[in-house]
Amino acid sequence: HRERKEKSFLQKHTKMSVKISIFQSLMFLFNRFILRRYRNPKPKYQKGPSFLLLSDLSRHTLIFNLEGALLKSDSLFPYFMLVAFEAGGVMRSFILFILYPLISLMSHEMGVKLMVFVSFFGIKKDGLRAGRAVLPKYFLEDVGLEMFKVLRKGGKRIGVSDDLPQVMIEGFLKDYLETEVVVGREMRVVGGYYIGIMEDKTKHDLEFDELVRKERLNTGHVIGITSFNTSLHRYLASQFCQEIYFVKKSDKRNWQTLPRNQYPKPLIFHDGRLAIKPTLMNALVLFMWGPFAVAAAAARLFVSLCIPYSLSIPILGFSGCRLTVQIDDISSQKLNSSQRKGCLFACNHRTLLDPLYIGFALKTQNITTVTYSLSRVSELLAPIKTVRLTRDRVSDGKAMKKLLSEGDLVVCPEGTTCREPHLLRFSPLFTEISDLIIPVAVTSPATFFYGTTASGLKAFDPLFFLMDPYPTYTVQFLDPVSGVSCQDPDGKLKFEVANHVQSVIGKALDFECTNLTRKDKYLILAGNNGVVKKN
């Protein structure tokens, strides 16, 4: 009787276990194929982001892939070339260039690893500012307008890169595209120097997974935007994104480039010597032109320093240098007057050669310029007289008045150069020096190289300018403006005159006037106050 009871109990227990197992299996299948499909809809593909432009995304978190969904170009070579050239020098960039055929034969991941190694190996971590000072300009010029509009509609933006190191993309995405979170590959550092190896991709993926999970819990509305050839879509799908949009290469070809007037933050300051994006073909042209550029710069410099203006001007013109001079009527009468004494010329600052080209325009070497910071080499080689100011307002004012009594004086009230179509704030000291000020508007477009730098050696600035195939300057003498040397008892008029001169030059050049100063520029680009070493 006991055995029959035990057997009956076991049969009932077995039936119950089977029922529980069947119920668990059904619940698993329901969760696997019904609930999960409901929570994470099947990824959608749209022909470009036009569908999202019609949607309200203010409560959504947008996770986008930088190289796959935001940039029009698919090639990462130019950005690594910029790091190699600006941080490592000409030889490092040339090595990267000649390795390109090998890189193109490798898998995408191995090619990226090789470019990272060549570009970063041995670079000091604290000295690398290319990510914030150089790369943003070229990234902005490669942003697709259509995707940019989509990202601007999002409530929160998370930028992700599968291949580019964090140090290359963080400054661009946070400072210029107002991206709240940036997830890139971290670089390994030993003794304060990069060793050219990125952290393991698994670690990068785990960090990204955790980030997506938190966003899902916090907002509940997460949209992923990526491309088919990146690994981002696998992790987006695994983290219950509501929607996933894929961008194809054919979509990017139809995108427009983001216009400058739609940049979230104006691009006023940027550094680096290269003026063109070093794509493969541009890099080939640069390296072919390099030896001729050095020879041309040396010859042009010799002619400028050692030959009188009457002969040097036609020789420089024959060598490719271009100078265009425009003189307004009143300034023409003043400059051509036989009784003309010393004139005060106030010009915007494009390169260190601004005063020299004003001298070329006036066809005289009897001209002086003042500067707060000029490398000792440039000071010694200058074919015109240069005087270093002390930053003491009283003593500098007296020195400038004395120089003006001896001949023409050129001042650059901005105090530093600016490459973009913007004018920095004009220091009012020059308005107290003379009763008559001649504003001078100068422009100097760059073709291959920039003749200015914030973090590099300033002694090479004139050489890089002269290394362009056709160094070009336009000098425009505007109508004179009255100074305030003896008629500003309360000290307010000098600021009004300085602002007026700035606005007159800005209007002539179609430049935007700003209140930014030399200090602002150097803090952004070089991390210092603009103190120049005497090298």
Side-chain angles (χ1 to χ4, degrees):
H1 179 71
R2 184 186 303 173
E3 290 178 357
R4 278 198 298 265
K5 279 188 174 183
E6 290 179 355
K7 188 175 181 180
S8 176
F9 175 78
L10 289 174
Q11 288 176 349
K12 290 181 181 180
H13 181 72
T14 303
K15 290 180 181 180
M16 183 63 70
S17 299
V18 172
K19 290 180 180 179
I20 293 175
S21 299
I22 294 174
F23 178 77
Q24 289 177 340
S25 300
L26 291 174
M27 289 300 296
F28 172 77
L29 292 174
F30 180 76
N31 179 72
R32 177 68 176 85
F33 294 103
I34 305 299
L35 288 182
R36 185 166 182 178
R37 183 176 295 273
Y38 173 76
R39 293 175 183 172
N40 185 25
K42 185 178 179 180
K44 301 177 181 179
Y45 169 71
Q46 299 289 335
K47 292 184 178 180
S50 57
F51 178 78
L52 288 175
L53 285 173
L54 304 176
S55 306
D56 181 12
L57 305 177
S58 59
R59 297 183 179 181
H60 290 70
T61 296
L62 302 184
I63 302 178
F64 66 94
N65 181 267
L66 173 63
E67 58 269 30
L70 180 64
L71 303 180
K72 293 179 61 178
S73 173
D74 293 320
S75 175
L76 301 179
F77 173 78
Y79 305 110
F80 287 109
M81 177 63 78
L82 284 166
V83 175
F85 185 88
E86 304 295 351
V90 177
M91 288 305 301
R92 184 187 294 264
S93 60
F94 183 70
I95 292 173
L96 180 60
F97 172 73
I98 61 177
L99 286 176
Y100 183 83
L102 178 61
I103 294 171
S104 62
L105 295 176
M106 294 179 172
S107 66
H108 177 76
E109 185 174 352
M110 287 302 299
V112 169
K113 288 182 178 179
L114 181 56
M115 288 191 291
V116 169
F117 180 79
V118 175
S119 303
F120 281 89
F121 179 76
I123 300 297
K124 191 175 182 179
K125 180 182 178 181
D126 294 339
L128 181 67
R129 301 192 64 85
R132 293 189 179 273
V134 180
L135 293 176
K137 171 183 182 293
Y138 299 94
F139 279 133
L140 283 169
E141 293 173 352
D142 198 23
V143 171
L145 175 60
E146 289 77 2
M147 185 56 66
F148 171 78
K149 290 181 178 179
V150 171
L151 296 180
R152 296 295 290 174
K153 292 172 67 68
K156 183 177 181 180
R157 292 162 290 271
I158 299 177
V160 182
S161 176
D162 296 328
D163 304 312
L164 294 173
Q166 180 93 0
V167 69
M168 289 179 63
I169 64 174
E170 187 171 22
F172 159 63
L173 290 176
K174 286 190 174 182
D175 296 343
Y176 290 93
L177 289 192
E178 300 176 350
T179 303
E180 288 80 1
V181 181
V182 178
V183 182
R185 304 282 296 277
E186 293 292 344
M187 297 290 299
R188 294 184 181 178
V189 179
V190 176
Y193 290 84
Y194 292 112
I195 61 174
I197 300 175
M198 292 187 290
E199 294 290 350
D200 186 55
K201 200 167 186 177
T202 303
K203 181 179 179 181
H204 170 264
D205 294 339
L206 290 174
E207 292 177 355
F208 176 66
D209 287 351
E210 183 63 25
L211 176 65
V212 176
R213 191 184 303 276
K214 289 180 180 179
E215 287 301 320
R216 175 63 175 166
L217 294 175
N218 293 337
T219 65
H221 304 279
V222 181
I223 295 178
I225 309 174
T226 182
S227 64
F228 288 105
N229 58 347
T230 64
S231 62
L232 179 62
H233 68 274
R234 297 197 299 270
Y235 301 101
L236 288 173
S238 67
Q239 294 301 319
F240 308 103
C241 283
Q242 288 182 319
E243 299 174 7
I244 304 174
Y245 293 85
F246 293 96
V247 179
K248 290 200 299 189
K249 292 182 179 180
S250 58
D251 299 332
K252 291 185 176 183
R253 297 191 193 103
N254 298 324
W255 285 359
Q256 300 179 33
T257 302
L258 179 65
R260 292 183 61 93
N261 58 5
Q262 295 191 32
Y263 289 178
K265 175 184 176 181
L267 180 68
I268 300 177
F269 300 127
H270 59 88
D271 205 8
R273 292 295 190 181
L274 292 181
I276 60 173
K277 184 178 179 179
T279 61
L280 180 62
M281 291 306 300
N282 287 344
L284 175 61
V285 172
L286 282 171
F287 286 119
M288 291 178 62
W289 169 246
F292 300 100
V294 174
R300 291 164 177 168
L301 186 63
F302 174 79
V303 171
S304 301
L305 296 177
C306 303
I307 299 179
Y309 276 11
S310 58
L311 297 176
S312 64
I313 292 177
I315 294 175
L316 290 174
F318 180 77
S319 72
C321 295
R322 299 289 184 265
L323 173 61
T324 303
V325 181
Q326 302 175 14
I327 305 178
D328 289 359
D329 294 337
I330 301 179
S331 292
S332 177
Q333 297 175 6
K334 175 67 177 176
L335 295 176
N336 295 325
S337 174
S338 59
Q339 300 179 350
R340 180 173 79 90
K341 297 181 180 179
C343 288
L344 177 63
F345 300 96
C347 71
N348 60 305
H349 205 4
R350 303 302 283 180
T351 75
L352 292 178
L353 301 180
D354 293 338
L356 181 61
Y357 270 87
I358 291 176
F360 280 136
L362 297 174
K363 297 181 180 180
T364 178
Q365 287 180 309
N366 184 26
I367 191 170
T368 306
T369 185
V370 292
T371 177
Y372 285 114
S373 59
L374 185 68
S375 68
R376 190 63 68 185
V377 173
S378 300
E379 193 173 358
L380 293 174
L381 293 178
I384 61 175
K385 184 179 180 181
T386 61
V387 176
R388 188 183 296 269
L389 299 180
T390 62
R391 299 187 184 275
D392 179 83
R393 191 174 194 83
V394 177
S395 60
D396 288 345
K398 292 180 179 179
M400 292 170 66
K401 287 183 178 180
K402 180 180 179 181
L403 293 172
L404 187 60
S405 65
E406 299 172 355
D408 294 335
L409 178 64
V410 178
V411 297
C412 300
E414 289 177 287
T416 187
T417 57
C418 183
R419 298 173 176 179
E420 296 301 314
H422 294 80
L423 295 180
L424 308 186
R425 189 180 69 190
F426 276 30
S427 172
L429 178 60
F430 74 98
T431 64
E432 305 173 87
I433 306 305
S434 173
D435 293 329
L436 193 67
I437 303 167
I438 299 181
V440 184
V442 299
T443 57
S444 177
T447 306
F448 284 172
F449 306 101
Y450 285 115
T452 61
T453 183
S455 57
L457 293 175
K458 290 184 174 295
F460 292 145
D461 285 359
L463 290 177
F464 274 99
F465 173 80
L466 295 173
M467 284 170 62
D468 256 4
Y470 298 99
T472 303
Y473 247 93
T474 299
V475 179
Q476 182 178 358
F477 295 93
L478 306 176
D479 290 337
V481 174
S482 298
V484 293
S485 59
C486 301
Q487 47 183 337
D488 190 18
D490 56 0
K492 294 181 179 180
L493 188 58
K494 61 184 179 183
F495 293 101
E496 296 179 4
V497 174
N499 292 336
H500 176 65
V501 173
Q502 182 196 39
S503 64
V504 167
I505 295 177
K507 184 177 180 180
L509 297 174
D510 196 21
F511 283 9
E512 182 179 348
C513 298
T514 72
N515 286 321
L516 298 173
T517 64
R518 170 191 177 88
K519 183 178 180 180
D520 296 321
K521 171 186 171 180
Y522 278 88
L523 286 175
I524 293 173
L525 300 182
N528 56 51
N529 292 326
V531 178
V532 178
K533 296 180 180 179
K534 299 179 181 181
N535 49 5

